[in-house]
Amino acid sequence: MLVSAGGGLFLMERRRVMQIFPERVRKLWNVWELRVTVVLSLCLQVVLIIFGNRRKFTTRNWVRVVLWMAYLSADWIATVSLGILSQNQGDSPDANALITAFWAPFLLVHLGGPDTVTAYSLEDNELWLRHFLGLIVQVGVAFYIFLRSWTTHVLTFLALPIYVAGIVKYGERTWVLRSASNEQFRDSLLPPPDPGPDYVKFMEVYNSRKAQGLDVSYQTVIETPELHVVKGNTIPEAKLLHEAFFLFNMLKRLFASLILSFKIRQDCMSIVKFKSALDAFRIVEIELGLMYDVLYTKASVVYTRLGAFLRLVTFLSSLSALVAFWVMIDKHDYSKIDTYVSYLLLVGAIVLETYAVFLLIRTDWCLFWLSKQKNSLATFFYRVLTSSRLALISNKRWSESMGQFNLISVCLKDNPPPKHDLAMNFLFSIREMIERYRYKTLEIVSIQLKELVFKQLHSKSNTCQSSENFKKFCSRRGDYVLEINNCIDEFRWSVTDVELDHSILLWHVATNLCYYSDLQRLKEGDLDSKRKTGKSLSDYMMYILVWRPFMLPKGIGLTRYRDTCAEARRYFDKRRESIAIDNISQACMALLEVSTEISPSAVKGDRSKSALFDGCVLAKSLQSLETKEWWGRERKWEMICDVWVEILCYAACRCEWNVHAQQLRRGGELLTLVSLLMAHLGFSEQYQISQGHATVKFK
């Protein structure tokens, strides 16, 4: 009997477990088991198609948990159902066996999965060969069931179009997983092999001319390619969409870890450099949305002519089977419940196909295709879809938010219990995780922040004249801002003389102290956007350090964070004995009262990695800037914001692109958007071809 290993193990284990229950319960379960698993398989497909695409633009944990459970359960339930079906088929099938065999091709359709999710994570793409084996095995099981239940009854022939739809769906899924795997994705972007000019032929001509006494001098000519211009279209509003698709096709190489040429750098800069900050970020958002579709959905197949044809085939197959079942089948020959299940599977297949088409026409892929058509009907549909987009479905391409995590807020809570044994350690880790969730918040990425990031990158891009300059700016993490503000000597120790994670902790503590110190002196309404932006960036980078440490260069960031938290809790506990510390503002003012005449590192040595009181030293130095000539509170906060932007950009370009790709399924990260924006403006280590093609010519 052809059953998968998972399904076979389940069937054997099922027999053992069922022995525990009374005979009456076992008989009842045997009657309803197949019906329950088949309906459950359909329900899981509904969950997958609804939630499959939502994680692209949401950071809610419950969405990911529900999708994860449905993704893992869907294949297993469908496989088990096929195993039960194959086990129930006898040599002479009766009416009940005949109609249950009719359900087998629907399980193949379910194994093919919806268009909105093919892979839960990038690792699933690497398992495409396992899915290919599953395709062969499960199609074999379905064919076995078909043969065992073969009769001349019309119901047998009605299953054929569903078999076609199931094989198409399952084949699509396997092909998409293969296309999105690291090796295949990289190979698809490699250009054809280029041997260059014919060296042997050139030398033959050279020797021939030399033998004839002719001039044999030659020169090397470097080709200067022209800038690419994105062609216009009939819909002016679609210009950004066309530019995003052009950049997407070029910069998929980033995600495949391929090198880029200066020609690509020039083309990207010619498009993005003259955009506003909002348009530049919108282009990047469109690109990352497209990349999510390629890596985690059936986009690489569905949004092609072949994909559209296959979708029409699967829809018509389900529709024809439903009509034929309703018209040609005598419902009195079968039990009512089996008839209802059959109708549910048929209607469910059509509803899922219809909903998939609805989702398809709401995507940037469809809008891009419509905007390229040179007719009034396509223009009309484009305007209808874009005008009603907010009313029909979310047009968000990522979460548009950034995580916030404040170290001082976390440390104000009571001290965690000490660790004792293994059980206590486990309970402590669970409590610590829950506490971290309590203090993690989300904040919308503001327009001011986007403009601040784009302004700094645009300014640096204008000053770069060579690849070396671009690489130099990629290595800056606050020191360039301090240099142009003529205070690098005073603050060098907090940026270039320490590791990135240490620098983040220092500036996070200092930013909080400066923020709440100014808040004590000013009214809430008097705090300008620079202060709020600086505070948001500070909390975001601390969120990355604690929640996404794999996006930062390797270091001991979590050790420094834990040591800093331990020292802060100890200090706050001691201060509570004499002074009430009820909120973060009071805690920051208490920290500023600590005398830091002697360097904390001189007292603590290398035993503790805490950066708490080093941050206090930095905060006092920043506050003292206000007393200097040409300095003030506004300029101080402008410099703090610029330092944080430079740290953000440094971390963004140091993060591997496969890590960025993983974050797309969690709603996306601001760090990823900044990294792609930097690549568009020329800041990337993957730009390694610094000149055009060389051609040698005789003079």
Side-chain angles (χ1 to χ4, degrees), residues 479-531:
D479 49 319
Y480 178 74
V481 174
L482 297 175
E483 282 179 7
I484 61 178
N485 282 279
N486 298 316
C487 53
I488 182 63
D489 293 334
E490 187 175 355
F491 297 105
R492 187 192 305 276
W493 64 274
S494 67
V495 285
T496 59
D497 294 347
V498 293
E499 296 178 348
L500 177 62
D501 49 65
H502 195 176
S503 185
I504 291 174
L505 280 166
L506 286 171
W507 280 86
H508 175 74
V509 173
T511 302
N512 273 279
L513 299 187
C514 291
Y515 180 86
Y516 287 102
S517 175
D518 287 355
L519 191 62
Q520 291 287 325
R521 293 180 289 171
L522 302 170
K523 296 180 180 179
E524 177 68 28
D526 294 335
L527 291 175
D528 61 16
S529 60
K530 289 288 185 182
R531 296 179 180 87

Side-chain angles (χ1 to χ4, degrees), residues 217-248:
S217 59
Y218 61 90
Q219 62 179 358
T220 302
V221 179
I222 304 297
E223 298 178 4
T224 305
E226 296 181 358
L227 291 177
H228 180 86
V229 178
V230 179
K231 295 181 180 180
N233 51 78
T234 57
I235 307 176
E237 297 88 347
K239 183 179 179 181
L240 284 181
L241 191 63
H242 280 250
E243 291 172 336
F245 266 84
F246 172 74
L247 294 175
F248 171 69

Side-chain angles (χ1 to χ4, degrees), residues 61-202:
N61 292 320
W62 71 268
V63 172
R64 294 204 305 273
V65 170
V66 168
L67 185 65
W68 175 70
M69 295 178 64
Y71 183 84
L72 293 181
S73 303
D75 287 359
W76 183 75
I77 291 295
T79 300
V80 167
S81 300
L82 280 173
I84 298 172
L85 269 175
S86 64
Q87 188 183 43
N88 291 346
Q89 296 304 309
D91 294 330
S92 55
D94 55 11
N96 289 332
L98 190 62
I99 196 170
T100 55
F102 177 66
W103 302 342
F106 290 98
L107 296 171
L108 280 182
V109 174
H110 298 171
L111 285 168
D115 296 343
T116 56
V117 54
T118 54
Y120 183 81
S121 63
L122 290 181
E123 290 77 12
D124 294 320
N125 294 322
E126 305 303 320
L127 300 177
W128 70 269
L129 198 57
R130 182 182 299 179
H131 283 273
F132 178 68
L133 178 61
L135 170 64
I136 297 175
V137 171
Q138 302 307 339
V139 170
V141 173
F143 186 65
Y144 168 82
I145 296 171
F146 180 74
L147 290 180
R148 290 295 301 270
S149 62
W150 173 263
T151 65
T152 57
H153 195 280
V154 67
L155 190 59
T156 303
F157 296 97
L158 289 185
L160 290 176
I162 307 299
Y163 273 109
V164 172
I167 294 172
V168 168
K169 285 276 192 179
Y170 207 165
E172 279 181 345
R173 182 185 182 185
T174 305
W175 179 259
V176 168
L177 289 171
R178 177 182 180 273
S179 301
S181 64
N182 186 50
E183 182 179 355
Q184 294 298 325
F185 184 68
R186 181 185 175 91
D187 289 346
S188 68
L189 297 175
L190 289 174
D194 182 10
D198 192 333
Y199 175 77
V200 174
K201 182 178 180 180
F202 174 82

